Amino acid sequence: MGVLVSVEGLRAAIDGTAPPVVLDVRWTPGGPPGISEFREGHIPGARYAELDTELAAPPGDGGRHPLPDPAAFGETLRRLGVRHDRPVVVCDRRDSTIAARLWWMLCYHGHPDVRVLDGGYQAWVRAGFPSATGDEPAVEPGDFTVRPGAVPMVTAAEVSGLARNGILLDARAAERYRGEVEPIDPVAGHIPGAVSAPTAENVDAEGRFRPVPELRERFAGLGITPDSEVAAYCGSGVTAAHEVLALRLAGFDAALYVGSWSDWITDPTREVARGADPK
């Protein structure tokens, strides 16, 4: 089963006999609510999921975007019409950095057929396909029951060892990794041993994922082999899911550190590194 779907492929699926559930997760840090942008234009039939309140629990010791309670997440998915026997396609504005979070969460909770719309809603509009406005449509509740643990996840207690004996990727911008700037979290720097691998380098100028050979070359250049134990983190576990997705496309399995940097720094005894050197 593929991880991505093109806008042409989604259009054909929507017009088919078993259309997928389309979930829109547009969100901007500190920006206007994503639902407002959704109401201005979205893929017909799409339903909106809110990152801060539906795809994450309240901020705390687990970071800025910890996973929601499984039961609450299951209720959200059923409200959105998600079913066991129906494909799900997730999208965001353009580059899949937010959509990848829901892709990973659905995979982690056991959904068998979930894909990401390559290029997002922007690609849909550029292709000239029709859009809808206003609130999401009324839908029949789904029947999906979450079963956590279907894909790997690591905790703060595990990432230090992985950084020494495997490969830990930091998906944030390089200047945040180096500790030169930190626009969100109270401490700058990176987890000792982590390798800088900015998520932005996974996609092209239009927000579509780079071809698989290019992704393989990129990750091989970071030292990843088929035998490597790999995990990824970012600021709060959102864009790191995009790294995990890109690694999947390239043929590598990777775990997600959901709490990420915002969780790591909640314990003052944990070491912090700065500069370009992973150590």
Side-chain angles (χ1 to χ4, degrees):
M1 181 185 69
V3 176
L4 301 180
V5 62
S6 66
V7 291
E8 294 82 7
L10 177 57
R11 176 64 187 274
I14 289 174
D15 292 339
T17 57
V21 174
V22 180
L23 302 180
D24 190 312
V25 293
R26 277 176 277 181
W27 178 85
T28 303
I35 187 62
S36 299
E37 187 178 333
F38 175 87
R39 288 168 178 153
E40 292 174 358
H42 55 265
I43 295 169
R47 304 94 192 254
Y48 181 76
E50 169 60 46
L51 172 64
D52 287 327
T53 59
E54 295 183 312
L55 307 186
D61 291 341
R64 286 185 280 110
H65 287 114
L67 290 182
D69 176 76
F73 182 54
E75 290 180 6
T76 294
L77 294 178
R78 289 188 291 274
R79 178 186 65 78
L80 294 169
V82 175
R83 304 183 60 83
H84 286 279
D85 60 355
R86 193 172 174 189
V88 177
V89 173
V90 294
C91 72
D92 56 24
R93 182 181 298 110
R94 64 178 294 274
D95 61 9
S96 304
T97 50
I98 310 304
R101 164 75 171 213
L102 182 50
W103 166 81
W104 185 88
M105 289 177 67
L106 283 160
C107 291
Y108 178 77
H109 288 90
H111 197 283
D113 191 354
V114 53
R115 307 183 193 197
V116 173
L117 180 63
D118 200 18
Y121 179 64
Q122 174 181 279
W124 179 269
V125 173
R126 285 182 173 177
F129 295 145
S131 295
T133 58
D135 290 320
E136 58 190 6
V139 297
E140 180 181 349
D143 64 359
F144 184 71
T145 300
V146 299
R147 296 179 176 85
V151 295
M153 178 175 67
V154 292
T155 65
E158 297 168 319
V159 294
S160 292
L162 195 148
R164 292 191 300 270
N165 303 313
I167 296 180
L168 179 62
L169 299 182
D170 186 318
R172 298 172 299 165
E175 59 269 23
R176 290 182 70 188
Y177 169 88
R178 294 191 297 266
E180 298 168 358
V181 298
E182 182 44 66
I184 303 175
D185 293 305
V187 178
H190 63 264
I191 297 172
V195 177
S196 180
T199 290
E201 296 180 16
N202 294 329
V203 297
D204 62 20
E206 293 186 348
R208 290 186 173 92
F209 278 92
R210 296 188 180 280
V212 168
E214 291 184 17
L215 291 174
R216 286 176 179 159
E217 182 178 5
R218 181 194 183 207
F219 292 124
L222 295 172
I224 296 174
T225 70
D227 298 325
S228 298
E229 184 180 4
V230 184
Y233 77 95
C234 57
S236 67
V238 176
T239 58
H242 189 276
E243 199 86 275
V244 173
L245 192 158
L247 284 156
R248 175 79 64 84
L249 291 171
F252 303 111
D253 291 326
L256 178 66
Y257 176 19
V258 175
S260 285
W261 182 247
S262 60
D263 172 59
W264 181 262
I265 60 174
T266 59
D267 184 345
T269 67
R270 294 177 186 143
E271 295 183 8
V272 169
R274 296 184 177 90
D277 188 336
K279 305 298 182 185

